[in-house]
Amino acid sequence: MGQCGPVPHRDSGETRYNKDKILQGQGIDEPLSPTGFKQADAAGLFLSNVKFTHVFSSDLLRAKQTAATIVGKNKFCKDLEIKCDTRLRERKYGVAEGRPLTDLKAMAKAAGEQCPAFTPSGGETLDEVRERARDFFEFLCQLAVEAEQKEEEMHEAASRSSGTYEDESVFPWTDHCSVHELSSDKDGASKLLLDANILVVSHGAYMRNWIGYFVSDLKCTLPTNLAKTQLSSVSPNTGVSHFIIKLENRTMLKPEIICVCLNQDSHLVDVEAECVAPKMF
């Protein structure tokens, strides 16, 4: 059973629309606010010792700016290309985009429904968002397998154990445990580490649906101290969730997913209190 490497997911930083609780979705392409750049800087410092092999971002400006700031502060991959993908866009809210969150809630109430299950006219259903997430996840797994195959072709005679991959990367939210330790079998037998350590920068509502797909469909293993309410909450701006993906026989038949942390925000402790944007819902 191989791994699709650790996959940290990050929400983008704050925009002025976040602060005012106005829905952006896909149609409002706002840049980061000064607060958002502070949050992205803090996230970049937090992840500065993590050696990413791939970085993907939503093509919306707030996510691209967050990803660029994180990569720019990284010790190992300042020149790593950030690949934008439309599958990572925020949920589309249709006629509710550019309007206050209270308007969306009023629309839902009038329809006899509740947020976030309610879909405004022209918006995406939760199932449609989850399908985008599923498609991108399967793409990432295939990417990891292909990366390992290329690595094996280049270093056929070399031993992976002599490399510096795990030694170079430090994951601050795991108390400096190595990825090798986190990915060991319960009986102590380690699994093959695929050469893919992927950063994904997206948006709060989208990632909540992706995590729901991991938990409901793929039976993701969650931290023992995780409260159930955390699964349904939206990540704070620049919050991080970290997953380790294990692929049996390098296929998508039986992916095993371990959640190391969810919506981590310890890097924002030193950011001024007013810099932490309120959760949308």
Side-chain angles (χ1 to χ4, degrees), residues 100-110 113 115 118 280-281:
L101 173 61
T102 52
D103 284 7
L104 177 66
K105 292 181 176 179
M107 292 178 196
K109 184 176 181 180
E113 300 181 40
C115 296
F118 171 69
M280 292 298 287
F281 53 81

Side-chain angles (χ1 to χ4, degrees), residues 4-220:
C4 182
V7 183
H9 299 62
R10 298 203 70 82
D11 186 15
S12 61
E14 182 200 270
T15 69
R16 63 189 179 98
Y17 276 65
N18 290 140
K19 187 174 182 179
D20 294 336
K21 294 188 177 182
I22 295 175
L23 287 168
Q24 296 172 98
Q26 298 181 11
I28 307 297
D29 199 14
E30 276 283 299
L32 294 178
S33 65
T35 290
F37 278 110
K38 289 181 181 180
Q39 294 168 337
D41 283 341
L45 291 173
F46 185 65
L47 295 174
S48 61
N49 290 316
V50 180
K51 185 177 180 181
F52 295 111
T53 58
H54 305 78
V55 178
F56 291 93
S57 171
S58 158
D59 65 338
L60 297 176
L61 183 56
R62 56 194 184 272
K64 291 193 293 184
Q65 290 178 327
T66 301
T69 301
I70 292 171
V71 171
K73 291 186 175 297
N74 195 278
K75 295 180 180 179
F76 302 108
C77 45
K78 291 181 183 294
D79 298 323
L80 191 63
E81 179 186 4
I82 299 171
K83 296 183 179 180
C84 295
D85 197 299
T86 58
R87 289 173 292 186
L88 294 174
R89 286 181 177 181
E90 179 60 291
R91 181 184 180 187
K92 185 178 181 181
Y93 285 98
V95 297
E97 292 181 352
R99 297 171 64 174
L101 173 61
T102 52
D103 284 7
L104 177 66
K105 292 181 176 179
M107 292 178 196
K109 184 176 181 180
E113 300 181 40
Q114 291 185 329
C115 296
F118 171 69
T119 303
S121 177
E124 283 183 295
T125 67
L126 295 182
D127 286 343
E128 288 172 332
V129 178
R130 185 169 296 197
E131 179 61 22
R132 277 201 284 132
R134 182 199 62 77
D135 187 57
F136 187 76
F137 171 67
E138 292 182 357
F139 159 75
L140 288 186
C141 291
Q142 183 61 38
L143 178 72
V145 171
E146 291 174 356
E148 189 206 17
Q149 290 171 342
K150 290 179 181 178
E151 183 75 10
E152 288 177 345
E153 292 172 2
M154 294 174 61
H155 305 286
E156 187 174 358
S159 170
R160 272 187 195 275
S161 60
S162 63
T164 58
Y165 184 85
E166 294 94 344
D167 294 333
E168 288 182 336
S169 288
V170 177
F171 297 89
W173 53 87
T174 59
D175 195 24
H176 303 298
C177 290
S178 70
V179 176
H180 176 82
E181 291 170 334
L182 284 169
S183 61
S184 295
D185 280 330
K186 293 180 181 179
D187 59 6
S190 63
K191 301 180 188 300
L192 178 64
L193 178 64
L194 303 190
D195 192 13
N197 185 17
I198 305 168
L199 174 67
V200 177
V201 180
S202 186
H203 308 271
Y206 174 88
M207 290 191 295
R208 178 174 57 187
N209 280 273
W210 192 344
I211 291 167
Y213 163 63
F214 277 1
V215 174
S216 300
D217 295 22
L218 301 182
K219 310 305 178 185
C220 172

Side-chain angles (χ1 to χ4, degrees), residues 207-241:
M207 290 191 295
R208 178 174 57 187
N209 280 273
W210 192 344
I211 291 167
Y213 163 63
F214 277 1
V215 174
S216 300
D217 295 22
L218 301 182
K219 310 305 178 185
C220 172
T221 299
L222 300 170
T224 55
N225 61 347
L226 186 72
K228 289 185 178 180
T229 54
Q230 290 178 263
L231 288 175
S232 59
S233 64
V234 174
S235 172
N237 291 120
T238 71
V240 60
S241 297

Side-chain angles (χ1 to χ4, degrees), residues 241-254:
S241 297
H242 179 200
F243 299 90
I244 293 177
I245 316 300
K246 303 178 183 180
L247 305 176
E248 185 173 0
N249 298 322
R250 303 174 188 175
T251 71
M252 276 292 298
L253 294 178
K254 294 181 179 179

